[in-house]
Structures are given as structure tokens and as C-alpha cells.
Amino acid sequence: MKNQTKPYLIGIAGGSASGKTFFLKSLRSHFNEDEVCIISQDNYYKPAIYQVKDEKGVINFDLPNGVDHAKFMEDVRSLSQNKSIEIQEYMFNQPGVIGGMITLKPAPVIIVEGIFIFHFKDIREILDLKVFMDSKEDIKLARRLARDVKERGVNEEIILYQWHNHVIPAYNEYLLPYRDDADVIITNNESFDKGFEIMRDHIRAVIGIKS
């Protein structure tokens, strides 16, 4: 809304490969940084040496304690208090590669995005709108395979191991219980067009843009 001093906080969660990243890129293309700020939990993962390993010695990135939640929450609060923040991009599966610095500026609408954001009560309680992105499991797995093999250079066997031993158990324990408490559920099996239109128009209304 115009002249709004307290930013409007939208939380967007969903399982791995549910389409959150593409959805957010689509939203970003419709709003500039003075209108919408997007903060991603992905950039708050702890270094690999601090991550939990399973019984086979494989790092499990699909646990809430793998995220530096205190820092993430501190930065979300700073943005909601109209303060800019600076964070370092987290480079998945690229050991030794140091991510660049990212500056985020406060905006009338702040989108808080991440797999575990609804799991943490302190984040849930400050959100004005909770959005859950959902897709069928086989579709998410196909997307994950395509993404991790092509973009991250991960072996297919490792992806399937992580999917069945880390991703699905984490989804069932840390995400699925919050699905029905979301204000908006966007199904993204083939397309999220309808859900996108609803979110785009809602954000426009919040910041006072006439359609």
C-alpha cells in the first residue's frame, strides 16, 4: 500500500525443484528492486565442514540445522526495519569457489524464500502471507535431475541417493506439515501461470500499482 512504512512480508516455501526459483525470477521481471526485495535462505547454508553427514558419509543439506538461521533471521529483521544488508552468495557443490557479495535493499514488499522458512516459528510469525509451491514427486525429481546434472555437474547416482535418503524424508518432516497452513498453494506440475497472476496482482495492490 502507498506510504506503507512496515514492509509487507511474503514467505514462499516448497520442496526441492518445485519451481520456486523460476517463479521468483518471473516475479522479479515484473517489479524493480525499489518495489520488491527477495531474500533467499539458500545463501545462508553453513560451510560444508559444518554440515551433518549421514551413515554413508554423504552431506545432508536437507536439514534445518544446515542453515545459519540466526543470521538469516537477523537479516530478514533488518530488511523489515528498512535497513540494507550485504550477504555472500552460497555456491552449491562448488568447493573452493567463493561467491560474490549481494546487496539487498529494503522495499515495500519483501519476499522471504526457502525450503525451511515455515519450519522456523519466528519467521512464520512475522509473515503477512504464506505461499506454498507444490508439484508431484516424479515431476520434482525429473527437474532436480535435469538441474543438478546440467547446472551443478552432480552425478546422477548421487542425486538419486540424496533424493530418496535426504530430500523426501526432509520434505515429509519439515515442509509437508505446513502445507495446509499456507494462505496460498500454487500447484506447479505443468505451469504456475494462474498462481503467478494472482501473486503478481496481489503484490501490485500492496504497493499501489494500478493494473
Side-chain angles (χ1 to χ4, degrees), residues 87-98:
I87 58 176
Q88 191 169 47
E89 183 181 9
Y90 190 89
M91 308 301 289
F92 281 93
N93 296 304
Q94 298 184 55
V97 178
I98 299 175

Side-chain angles (χ1 to χ4, degrees), residues 81-140:
Q81 293 167 1
N82 295 309
K83 300 174 184 176
S84 295
I85 63 167
E86 195 170 73
I87 58 176
Q88 191 169 47
E89 183 181 9
Y90 190 89
M91 308 301 289
F92 281 93
N93 296 304
Q94 298 184 55
V97 178
I98 299 175
M101 299 305 295
I102 301 171
T103 299
L104 297 180
K105 300 178 181 179
V109 172
I110 297 173
I111 297 177
V112 183
E113 176 269 328
I115 291 178
F116 302 118
I117 60 170
F118 297 159
H119 172 72
F120 292 105
K121 184 179 178 181
D122 51 357
I123 292 184
R124 284 202 316 272
E125 290 181 339
I126 64 172
L127 296 173
D128 297 296
L129 185 74
K130 297 188 292 295
V131 180
F132 192 101
M133 293 203 64
D134 204 13
S135 301
K136 294 178 180 177
E137 184 177 326
D138 60 332
I139 293 175
K140 289 189 291 185

Side-chain angles (χ1 to χ4, degrees), residues 150-211:
K150 181 179 179 180
E151 297 179 13
R152 299 178 179 176
V154 183
N155 181 278
E156 183 173 319
E157 183 178 349
I158 294 176
I159 297 169
L160 291 172
Y161 176 85
Q162 291 174 327
W163 184 265
H164 294 295
N165 295 278
H166 300 169
V167 176
I168 294 303
Y171 177 82
N172 290 334
E173 184 171 356
Y174 304 117
L175 282 88
L176 190 57
Y178 304 102
R179 181 184 184 277
D180 291 342
D181 292 329
D183 302 298
V184 178
I185 297 174
I186 297 176
T187 302
N188 180 30
N189 291 322
E190 296 181 3
S191 168
F192 53 57
D193 290 352
K194 291 295 183 183
F196 175 79
E197 291 173 6
I198 291 171
M199 287 304 303
R200 180 200 61 201
D201 292 347
H202 180 66
I203 292 173
R204 282 176 172 171
V206 169
I207 60 182
I209 298 177
K210 295 183 178 179
S211 300

Side-chain angles (χ1 to χ4, degrees), residues 38-92:
I38 300 173
I39 179 169
S40 174
Q41 197 175 53
D42 278 359
N43 289 317
Y44 291 82
Y45 274 88
K46 298 172 185 175
I49 59 172
Y50 299 114
Q51 298 290 343
V52 174
K53 293 184 179 180
D54 65 18
E55 63 276 4
K56 290 191 175 182
V58 179
I59 293 177
N60 186 353
F61 287 103
D62 292 278
L63 296 172
N65 60 12
V67 174
D68 186 347
H69 177 66
K71 177 59 177 171
F72 182 58
M73 191 63 200
E74 176 187 332
D75 284 352
V76 170
R77 289 194 185 281
S78 292
L79 287 169
S80 67
Q81 293 167 1
N82 295 309
K83 300 174 184 176
S84 295
I85 63 167
E86 195 170 73
I87 58 176
Q88 191 169 47
E89 183 181 9
Y90 190 89
M91 308 301 289
F92 281 93

